[in-house]
Amino acid sequence: MKRVLTVLSLSLALAACGGQPRGPAGPPLRPVANPGAVIAAEIAFSKLAQEKGQWTAFRSTAAPDAEMFVPQRVKALEYLKGKPDPAHTVKWQPHLVWSSCDGSVAVTHGAWQRPDSTGYFTTVWARGQDGSLKWVLDHGDRLGVALPEPEMIASKVAECSGKAGVPISAPDVGVDLKQGVSRDQTLVWSSAVSPDGSRTVIVRLWNGTAHDVVLQETVAAGN
């Protein structure tokens, strides 16, 4: 089988950009984590879906190279182009967020509900040159039992000390693997899709000396 390896796609390109991101007026944005802004973006995303339609909201908030799984990996804007909004829009709520130290990348995780099913979602968000947040990876699955709702949305920010190096993995034959990294390399994520459509998403957060796995989710083939 063809061996597919695309390493550090969109976010590595962001990491390689010279200098700091700039706001609309020109001055550099502070490279600082802001989990609250990411939570607000996720909640606004969900609200937009209820008000304007599910796929309309996905298109409006996606980065140009955003990806999703159907179950194979697809470019979201290409896949969703002209796709009508479903009659029943999925509802979702963030439960927690992980952020890189510099705030350039964050990952949200939470629960979703449809009239006939429930599940979880994981979304990778990247901060653009203008300071706006766009999602770059959307992933989730059904659950037999709904995720318990937390009393408060939790957040965790990567350690800012030490020098983070990016752990790069090689895929098995036939596996479509992509890895992304924040500009400061304190948050790393990967998504691997097997030929049968099963996939694994992993998020790692820098603790000052190494990258801890803070999230690992595997979706079986056919889901």
Side-chain angles (χ1 to χ4, degrees):
M1 294 182 179
K2 181 180 180 182
R3 181 173 180 171
V4 181
L5 173 59
T6 306
V7 178
L8 309 179
S9 55
L10 170 65
S11 291
L12 185 55
L14 291 174
C17 291
Q20 298 177 7
R22 294 180 175 272
L29 296 168
R30 291 182 60 201
V32 63
N34 189 354
V38 181
I39 292 169
E42 187 70 71
I43 292 173
F45 180 17
S46 178
K47 183 179 179 181
L48 182 64
Q50 300 304 310
E51 294 176 348
K52 300 297 184 180
Q54 181 172 312
W55 299 135
T56 297
F58 270 69
R59 288 189 293 264
S60 298
T61 55
D65 290 333
E67 296 179 333
M68 57 196 302
F69 305 95
V70 295
Q72 298 295 339
R73 186 192 310 276
V74 295
K75 294 292 186 183
L77 292 179
E78 294 177 7
Y79 175 76
L80 296 175
K81 185 176 181 180
K83 193 175 181 66
D85 294 314
H88 297 288
T89 299
V90 64
K91 297 181 180 179
W92 70 92
Q93 310 81 33
H95 288 183
L96 55 90
V97 58
W98 297 277
S99 175
S100 63
C101 173
D102 66 356
S104 62
V105 173
V107 179
T108 52
H109 178 73
W112 60 258
Q113 304 86 30
R114 292 193 181 100
D116 59 349
S117 58
T118 186
Y120 69 85
F121 72 89
T122 297
T123 307
V124 179
W125 293 86
R127 187 173 69 170
Q129 294 291 326
D130 62 354
S132 65
L133 288 163
K134 296 288 187 180
W135 68 267
V136 298
L137 188 76
D138 183 77
H139 147 84
D141 195 14
R142 292 182 175 86
L143 292 172
V145 179
L147 287 178
E149 184 177 357
E151 292 184 6
M152 296 180 64
I153 299 174
S155 64
K156 184 175 179 60
V157 177
E159 176 60 46
C160 298
S161 64
K163 183 173 177 57
V166 180
I168 297 177
S169 302
D172 294 332
V173 174
V175 173
D176 170 14
L177 172 68
K178 288 194 177 182
Q179 298 185 101
V181 59
S182 61
R183 294 186 183 96
D184 63 356
Q185 301 185 2
T186 61
L187 189 152
V188 180
W189 78 93
S190 64
S191 58
V193 186
S194 298
D196 64 1
S198 60
R199 65 181 181 273
T200 299
V201 171
I202 300 175
V203 179
R204 296 178 172 89
L205 206 64
W206 180 247
N207 66 13
T209 57
H211 286 88
D212 291 332
V213 175
V214 295
L215 180 74
Q216 181 166 341
E217 296 169 330
T218 298
V219 177
N223 291 345

